[in-house]
Amino acid sequence: LYYGALKGTSFRWLNLAELCDRLLPPNDVYSIKYFTAPLKPRPGDSQALTHQQIYLRALRTLPNVEVILGHFLANKVRMPLADGSGFAEVIRTEEKGSDVNIATHLMADAFRRRFEVAVLVTNDSDLKEPVRIITQELDLKVGIISPVLTQGRSPSRELTRHATFVKRIRKGALKSSQFPNQLSDSTGTFHKPTNW
């Protein structure tokens, strides 16, 4: 969701419950699981972790949203320059655990018959096998909402081959599914980060 539809946009203050209601009428959305990992501060982006924490706090104001955390690994690595003229030392970050967590929760919920229809907001073809097992062997429905906004890019063929249905996220749905700038929870009032 973040890399496919939100990064670099003004839509990051996204109310997931509102988005699901817009994308999945007339279905009743009972549970939303948001999989992410706490960011590690990087040079030049010291506010990223604070902004993420504020966003997760906003998500936790929604009664049907559960935040499930993995973790990030950050390592310095030497990588070749695109023009082949040498190497550069870069910080490579990898989100660890989210894919496994998504697949595990999806499979566990399917085996426990906790849904009539599961919907994944992803374009990650690594999830094709859980989707295949659930739709073909457990005879449950799994929809894919593709977060790919870039023109010319398509939803993953591997995923769509096994999905019950496929939808795309449109910019209009993102724009109309934003939290208000100010929210409150049991701790008090908080605001959307200023540069979001």
Side-chain angles (χ1 to χ4, degrees):
L1 175 63
Y2 178 76
Y3 292 106
L6 301 176
K7 184 178 180 182
T9 73
S10 60
F11 307 132
R12 291 176 285 170
W13 195 235
L14 184 63
N15 180 325
L16 295 178
E18 182 69 27
L19 180 67
C20 289
D21 286 343
R22 288 184 186 284
L23 294 177
L24 299 167
N27 299 284
D28 294 322
V29 179
Y30 292 105
S31 176
I32 299 169
K33 296 182 180 185
Y34 182 73
F35 297 86
T36 191
L39 296 172
K40 293 192 177 215
R42 295 179 68 171
D45 196 6
S46 60
Q47 293 295 309
L49 177 59
T50 302
H51 292 172
Q52 183 192 43
Q53 289 170 338
I54 293 169
Y55 180 62
L56 295 180
R57 185 176 174 190
L59 287 180
R60 289 181 177 115
T61 66
L62 302 171
N64 63 339
V65 173
E66 178 183 1
V67 176
I68 299 161
L69 297 175
H71 64 279
F72 269 103
L73 292 179
N75 298 304
K76 287 184 183 179
V77 295
R78 287 180 50 83
M79 299 192 73
L81 295 171
D83 64 4
S85 65
F87 289 83
E89 190 170 85
V90 299
I91 297 173
R92 181 189 308 177
T93 57
E94 294 179 84
E95 188 173 348
K96 304 297 279 184
S98 290
D99 289 349
V100 171
N101 287 342
I102 292 169
T104 301
H105 278 258
L106 180 65
M107 294 297 294
D109 287 348
F111 279 108
R112 293 173 181 147
R113 300 288 178 176
R114 289 190 173 161
F115 61 80
E116 294 174 16
V117 179
V119 178
L120 295 173
V121 179
T122 188
N123 204 42
D124 188 345
S125 62
D126 288 347
L127 295 169
K128 69 180 179 187
E129 190 61 8
V131 172
R132 185 196 66 77
I133 289 170
I134 291 167
T135 57
Q136 293 179 8
E137 297 179 25
L138 298 179
D139 200 30
L140 289 169
K141 297 176 181 178
V142 180
I144 301 296
I145 295 179
S146 177
V148 177
L149 293 180
T150 308
Q151 291 290 66
R153 289 198 59 209
S154 300
S156 163
R157 286 189 186 134
E158 295 296 320
L159 280 175
T160 58
R161 180 180 308 147
H162 302 295
T164 308
F165 64 86
V166 178
K167 291 186 172 199
R168 283 179 170 257
I169 295 178
R170 305 275 184 220
K171 287 183 182 178
L174 294 173
K175 184 177 181 180
S176 59
S177 300
Q178 298 294 297
F179 281 112
N181 286 339
Q182 179 178 304
L183 293 168
S184 296
D185 60 13
S186 60
T187 308
T189 300
F190 60 101
H191 298 85
K192 172 182 176 179
T194 54
N195 62 348
W196 274 34

